[in-house]
Amino acid sequence: MTFEPEQLGQSSQELASKLRELRKQAGLSGVRLAARCHMSQSKVSRIENGKVRPSLVDIEQILRALDAPANLIAEISALARLANTEWRNLRELRRKGLGTRQAELRALEASSAHIRYLLPSMLTGLLATPEYVRASLAHSPADTSKAAAGKLERQAVLYDSSKRFTFILTEQAVRWPVVAPLPLAEQMDRLSSLTYLPNVRLGVLPLGTVTPRSPLNTFTIYDASLVTIETSAGSLVLRDSRDIQSYLDEFSGYEECALFGEEGRARLAEWSTSCRS
């Protein structure tokens, strides 16, 4: 299936309308359809009114219960895929203000219990020193003062013991010279100190580590409900359960290969010493 980026995330109401119309054509009430799908009637109602974004599994159950023809199955499945995928253009994010993006991320972090980060190229703001944060935003033509402040304020969430964080960083991400050697060494020292937090698991993948796959993009998994994938032009947001499970499986593969605890701290200390020398 091909589509334009601006179509992503825009088909929820159309999907809801088509599902409602299809149920009525089949002569079924919401209660009867819910029973056939093993869903609650309230969930079916919320889906048909566009108040809940159905997963592809939900859609398959509904279409099977309605005995939908093949052409409609293809059309509605495509709509469901679009509804569960969203594109965030970097130009649009800059227009709204990078500080607004920090508020969105803070809300995601507040509503999640376990957040997983794969960082193949550079560090996320939650792990960064103030100097690293400022340097990471230096390329932006917009005013980044609010964004920098927002990144640093968000770091307080790491000390919320009700949440769990797992970070996997490649050696390239740790050692990429975003800042000068001495501040970079201090950044590595901060990473090492964060590994002592009981709710933070931080692992590194040294160069030469054999992994099941090659990491192509930075991605973040919020519980098992949402994945964001970062690119140089913007970010992709995935909400379908099968897409999320695919990223959870990929993350687990890297996690099995990463160095944690004393081994990870030893590598960070080695790289920090190299920067200082």
Side-chain angles (χ1 to χ4, degrees):
M1 180 180 64
T2 59
F3 43 79
E4 295 299 321
E6 56 269 20
Q7 290 179 269
L8 297 174
Q10 301 299 312
S11 56
S12 296
Q13 289 302 321
E14 185 180 355
L15 174 64
S17 177
K18 284 188 178 293
L19 290 173
R20 185 169 60 250
E21 179 184 342
L22 194 58
R23 173 181 60 76
K24 291 180 178 178
Q25 288 175 355
L28 290 178
S29 67
V31 173
R32 288 184 62 193
L33 176 60
R36 288 190 181 187
C37 297
H38 304 289
M39 293 181 187
S40 67
Q41 190 276 329
S42 61
K43 180 176 181 178
V44 169
S45 177
R46 291 196 299 272
I47 288 173
E48 290 188 355
N49 287 292
K51 295 180 179 178
V52 165
R53 195 189 308 260
S55 69
L56 294 185
V57 174
D58 292 333
I59 294 298
E60 286 179 358
Q61 289 178 311
I62 291 171
L63 294 177
R64 193 180 304 118
L66 294 173
D67 196 23
N71 63 315
L72 274 178
I73 289 175
E75 178 186 350
I76 292 176
S77 295
L79 278 175
R81 172 66 71 178
L82 291 175
N84 279 280
T85 308
E86 183 180 348
W87 171 249
R88 299 285 188 86
N89 189 292
L90 185 58
R91 294 188 303 275
E92 182 68 14
L93 290 175
R94 284 175 175 162
R95 187 187 66 77
K96 292 181 179 178
L98 296 177
T100 301
R101 175 61 174 160
Q102 296 307 307
E104 292 175 355
L105 291 171
R106 190 182 301 112
L108 274 175
E109 290 154 2
S111 63
S112 303
H114 187 185
I115 311 176
R116 300 167 175 86
Y117 300 81
L118 179 74
L119 304 169
S121 56
M122 66 182 297
L123 306 183
T124 181
L126 288 185
L127 303 175
T129 62
E131 188 162 352
Y132 191 103
V133 166
R134 289 190 293 271
S136 70
L137 294 169
H139 67 281
S140 175
D143 179 11
T144 61
S145 56
K146 289 184 179 179
K151 283 177 178 282
L152 295 173
E153 289 168 5
R154 282 174 47 225
Q155 293 178 358
V157 76
L158 293 175
Y159 302 91
D160 183 344
S161 59
S162 69
K163 299 183 182 300
R164 294 167 55 208
F165 299 87
T166 306
F167 299 92
I168 298 179
L169 297 74
T170 66
E171 181 176 345
Q172 175 177 314
V174 176
R175 304 184 72 171
W176 193 262
V178 175
V179 291
L182 182 56
L184 189 59
E186 293 168 349
Q187 173 63 76
M188 294 175 191
D189 295 343
R190 170 171 165 76
L191 295 178
S192 185
S193 69
L194 290 173
T195 66
Y196 289 101
L197 292 177
N199 60 326
V200 172
R201 193 162 184 257
L202 189 152
V204 295
L205 290 170
L207 286 174
T209 302
V210 178
T211 56
R213 299 177 63 174
S214 298
L216 298 177
N217 296 93
T218 293
F219 65 81
T220 308
I221 309 171
Y222 297 88
D223 294 329
S225 59
L226 185 146
V227 175
T228 62
I229 306 156
E230 304 298 325
T231 76
S232 57
S235 62
L236 200 60
V237 181
L238 305 179
R239 295 183 177 85
D240 185 76
S241 59
R242 287 181 291 192
D243 292 332
I244 295 167
Q245 187 58 54
S246 174
Y247 276 91
L248 284 168
D249 293 341
E250 181 176 349
F251 188 88
S252 294
Y254 301 130
E255 193 172 7
E256 290 175 3
C257 303
L259 301 179
F260 291 91
E262 287 299 334
E263 287 185 303
R265 285 190 287 270
R267 286 303 179 102
L268 288 168
E270 174 189 324
W271 299 336
S272 175
T273 299
S274 176
C275 283
R276 287 184 164 89
S277 65

